[in-house]
């Protein structure tokens, strides 16, 4: 909308006298108008909606299923400390960068990186960063859905009293029998993937936003109930909290540091296209930096609460914290089966796990859906069907790795372990490294300043230092150490 003003002779004379300044002003206004592009998929209705959605993407199986068992495998407190440092010095700066790239591009990660690469007049190969992110998210979704299916199955098991009076041998036998049945795994995997597709097909505000508005508050409430129960056990203070928060660096290895860094990326949904595509739906008047710090803080609190809820129960029942991916499926059911009201707590816990998984899975499939809509002219319904079906099909490899293909290994890992290691420990850190380099070194400073809108120049300088030097340098040094160079 343009307004027409009547100018007097004195006005015209003033404009002529200050012609360079006025030309500069008009050019600035023109650039601002050109930068008001909108995502064709819609926008979040508010900053709160984005926070819920991005937190939902971050808070998932990584916090409640993965964080406890990798903490158990890597010695507890020392691993937690390294993980927190990774979130603070690497995760938050890169989350700010990835959100910023998404909002500036206003498209799926692949198209966003193509646009921003041209805008920065950079090497066109940078657009492959978008491809790597989308592929990483897609691979994670394929096995994520399978694990979420386990949680769905265990909701039913808890409700029907399958854990009642069972000892460790009986519970492990139940879990092994469940994994040995491809039919059961496929059923629950299919059910979860269908639920994911039904949410995503409804779009940004009607689907993604409405889902997280229900899922996230429910998740927090259920988690707090579980923490409350853990506090009633006799192992809460002296073993549970001690294991989680007392560092023992003799138990921490170089691979453990890599795992902590990879998990910081995994749990914050960095490098997998999810935060970038969610950022593309973010309105211009929202502070990226403040929002990213709030999301990272909430995600970290949830991970720690999950550990606080789980480890006291593990120790109270004389179970081993380093039980691997099956920790919450092989250990917690023993506790639920022998505690007063255990069936209720079991149902609540596994429902919480399903909610956490769903809030993340919808963000993992969204980049692929957005790409198909933008590049293949598909409707959202068709794009969801194609993306969901492909991820479902790839998930069969994870399912069969626990039974029919259990003897088939690559680099001494089955298909599930290989996909998990490839994505969480390699693709996500590499993707995060590249995001940091692009945002800090390739993207023009005036563009990053325009997107971040930081009123304090020192805040921008701090972010710039972290994203240019600390974050990529840390990732690079850890990789050198793991491969034996350092």
């Amino acid at each position: 909308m343009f307004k027409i003003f009547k100018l007097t002779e004195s006005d015209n004379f003033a404009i002529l006298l200050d012609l360079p300044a006025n030309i500069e002003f008009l050019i600035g206004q023109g650039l601002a108008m050109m930068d008001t592009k909108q995502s064709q998929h819609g926008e979040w209705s508010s900053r709160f909606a984005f926070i819920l959605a991005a937190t939902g993407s971050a808070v998932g199986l990584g916090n409640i299923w993965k964080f406890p068992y990798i903490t158990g495998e890597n010695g507890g407190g020392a691993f937690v400390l390294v993980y927190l440092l990774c979130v603070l010095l690497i995760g938050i700066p890169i989350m700010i960068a990835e959100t910023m790239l998404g909002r500036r591009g206003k498209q799926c990660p692949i198209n966003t990186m193509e646009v921003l690469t041209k805008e920065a007049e950079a090497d066109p190969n940078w657009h492959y960063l978008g491809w790597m992110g989308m592929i990483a998210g897609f691979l994670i979704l394929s096995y994520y859905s399978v694990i979420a299916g386990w949680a769905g199955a265990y909701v039913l098991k808890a409700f029907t009293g399958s854990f009642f009076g069972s000892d460790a041998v009986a519970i492990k036998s139940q879990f092994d029998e469940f994994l040995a049945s491809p039919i059961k795994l496929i059923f629950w995997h299919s059910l979860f993937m269908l639920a994911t597709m039904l949410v995503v097909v409804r779009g940004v505000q009607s689907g993604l936003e409405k889902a997280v508005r229900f899922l996230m508050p429910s998740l927090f409430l259920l988690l707090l109930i579980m923490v409350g129960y853990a506090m009633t056990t006799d192992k809460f203070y002296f073993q549970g909290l001690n294991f989680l928060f007392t560092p023992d660096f003799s138990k921490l290895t170089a691979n453990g540091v890599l795992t902590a860094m990879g998990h910081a990326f995994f749990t914050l949904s960095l490098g997998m296209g999810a935060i970038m595509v969610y950022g593309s739906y973010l309105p211009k008047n929202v502070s990226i930096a403040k929002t990213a710090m709030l999301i990272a803080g909430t995600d970290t609190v949830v991970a720690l609460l999950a550990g606080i809820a789980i480890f006291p129960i593990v120790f109270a029942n004389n179970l081993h914290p380093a039980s691997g991916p099956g920790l919450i499926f092989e250990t917690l059911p023993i506790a639920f089966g022998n505690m007063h009201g255990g069936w209720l707590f079991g149902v609540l816990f596994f429902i919480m796990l399903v909610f956490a998984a769903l809030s993340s899975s919808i963000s993992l499939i969204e980049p692929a859906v957005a790409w198909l809509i933008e590049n293949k002219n598909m409707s959202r319904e068709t794009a969801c069907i194609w993306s969901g079906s492909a991820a479902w099909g790839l998930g069969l490899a994870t399912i069969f790795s626990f039974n029919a293909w259990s003897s088939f290994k690559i680099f001494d890992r089955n298909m599930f372990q290989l996909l998990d290691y490839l994505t969480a420990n390699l693709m996500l850190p590499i993707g995060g490294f590249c995001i940091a380099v692009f945002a800090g070194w390739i993207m023009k400073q005036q563009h990053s300043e325009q997107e971040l809108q930081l009123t304090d120049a020192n805040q921008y300088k701090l972010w710039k230092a972290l994203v240019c030097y600390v974050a990529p340098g840390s990732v690079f040094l850890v990789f050198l150490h793991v491969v034996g160079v350092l």
Side-chain angles (χ1 to χ4, degrees):
M1 178 78 63
F2 295 94
K3 293 183 179 180
I4 299 176
F5 297 92
K6 184 176 180 180
L7 300 177
T8 65
E9 288 186 11
S10 60
D11 291 328
N12 290 329
F13 183 66
I15 289 173
L16 288 172
L17 283 177
D18 200 22
L19 188 58
N22 282 293
I23 290 175
E24 184 179 352
F25 171 77
L26 290 172
I27 291 173
Q29 291 295 101
L31 290 173
M33 289 175 64
M34 289 171 62
D35 193 47
T36 57
K37 52 184 178 291
Q38 301 289 322
S39 167
Q40 72 181 77
H41 310 287
E43 288 188 341
W44 305 113
S45 63
S46 63
R47 174 175 177 265
F48 180 66
F50 172 71
I51 290 172
L52 279 181
T55 303
S57 176
V59 174
L61 288 179
N63 303 74
I64 303 171
W65 161 67
K66 192 172 184 180
F67 177 74
Y69 90 73
I70 60 175
T71 299
E73 289 179 333
N74 291 280
F79 176 84
V80 172
L81 182 60
V82 173
Y83 163 71
L84 293 176
L85 288 173
C86 288
V87 169
L88 181 65
L89 299 177
I90 303 173
I92 292 176
I94 293 179
M95 174 174 271
I96 292 172
E98 187 168 352
T99 306
M100 176 187 69
L101 297 180
R103 186 166 74 175
R104 187 155 190 90
K106 287 293 182 184
Q107 298 180 70
C108 71
I110 295 170
N111 293 345
T112 281
M113 289 311 303
E114 287 183 355
V115 168
L116 298 185
T117 298
K118 291 176 183 177
E119 184 180 66
E121 300 175 347
D123 188 321
N125 287 318
W126 273 104
H127 86 276
Y128 287 113
L129 175 58
W131 277 103
M132 185 167 68
M134 190 179 81
I135 291 171
F138 188 80
L139 293 176
I140 291 170
L141 176 63
S142 71
Y143 69 78
Y144 204 89
S145 177
V146 175
I147 307 302
W150 297 359
Y154 269 59
V155 171
L156 185 61
K157 284 179 178 290
F159 184 76
T160 57
S162 297
F163 310 142
F164 183 72
S166 299
D167 58 12
V169 175
I171 292 294
K172 181 169 174 43
S173 177
Q174 276 192 45
F175 186 60
D176 290 342
E177 182 184 349
F178 178 64
L179 293 188
S181 172
I183 301 300
K184 291 180 181 178
L185 296 181
I186 290 172
F187 171 79
W188 289 103
H189 167 52
S190 303
L191 200 61
F192 182 82
M193 189 63 73
L194 180 61
T196 300
M197 293 164 64
L198 289 175
V199 171
V200 176
V201 76
R202 295 178 62 83
V204 177
Q205 291 190 14
S206 298
L208 305 177
E209 187 173 318
K210 282 188 176 180
V212 295
R213 282 183 183 274
F214 167 74
L215 292 172
M216 295 314 299
S218 302
L219 172 63
F220 287 125
L221 178 61
L222 293 172
L223 184 56
L224 289 175
I225 291 173
M226 291 304 304
V227 170
Y229 171 74
M231 292 177 69
T232 66
T233 65
D234 58 355
K235 305 292 185 180
F236 180 76
Y237 294 102
F238 296 109
Q239 281 189 273
L241 295 187
N242 185 61
F243 178 78
L244 199 57
F245 296 113
T246 302
D248 182 355
F249 290 99
S250 65
K251 297 180 180 179
L252 189 66
T253 64
N255 195 61
V257 175
L258 177 65
T259 301
M261 184 178 65
H263 187 66
F265 284 95
F266 185 93
T267 190
L268 292 177
S269 296
L270 302 178
M272 59 181 74
I275 295 299
M276 193 178 293
V277 77
Y278 273 15
S280 72
Y281 308 147
L282 186 63
K284 286 287 184 183
N285 62 346
V286 174
S287 169
I288 291 175
K290 290 179 182 178
T291 304
M293 287 188 285
L294 181 59
I295 292 165
T298 305
D299 177 77
T300 304
V301 168
V302 170
L304 294 176
L305 286 175
I308 291 170
I310 290 171
F311 286 119
I313 297 174
V314 169
F315 288 120
N317 290 273
N318 299 314
L319 305 172
H320 201 283
S323 298
L327 175 66
I328 60 176
F329 297 99
E330 293 185 72
T331 58
L332 292 188
I334 301 172
F336 296 144
N338 292 280
M339 70 171 69
H340 183 69
W343 74 271
L344 176 61
F345 285 106
V347 169
L348 291 176
F349 178 82
F350 288 111
I351 287 177
M352 175 179 69
L353 201 58
V354 172
F355 282 4
L358 187 58
S359 68
S360 294
S361 66
I362 58 179
S363 71
L364 291 172
I365 197 174
E366 181 65 17
V369 170
W371 182 79
L372 289 173
I373 293 171
E374 293 171 15
N375 293 75
K376 302 300 179 181
N377 295 318
M378 290 186 182
S379 66
R380 178 165 277 268
E381 292 81 1
T382 304
C384 281
I385 292 172
W386 276 101
S387 302
S389 298
W392 177 88
L394 185 58
L396 297 179
T398 292
I399 287 174
F400 293 139
S401 71
F402 295 110
N403 37 72
W405 298 350
S406 59
S407 60
F408 176 72
K409 295 188 177 181
I410 302 174
F411 302 118
D412 204 32
R413 291 181 171 90
N414 62 28
M415 286 302 297
F416 163 67
Q417 294 168 331
L418 184 67
L419 284 172
D420 185 37
Y421 187 86
L422 176 66
T423 53
N425 288 14
L426 296 177
M427 293 181 75
L428 299 191
I430 291 172
F433 174 87
C434 292
I435 288 170
V437 171
F438 187 89
W441 295 96
I442 307 299
M443 190 176 187
K444 293 179 180 179
Q445 183 166 319
Q446 67 189 77
H447 295 156
S448 59
E449 288 179 333
Q450 183 183 23
E451 288 298 327
L452 294 181
Q453 301 170 1
L454 295 172
T455 55
D456 187 343
N458 290 327
Q459 292 177 347
Y460 180 81
K461 289 178 182 177
L462 175 61
W463 171 79
K464 192 81 169 178
L466 291 173
V467 84
C468 284
Y469 302 104
V470 177
S474 300
V475 175
F476 187 64
L477 287 174
V478 170
F479 268 114
L480 289 181
H481 193 76
V482 169
V483 298
V485 176
L486 290 179

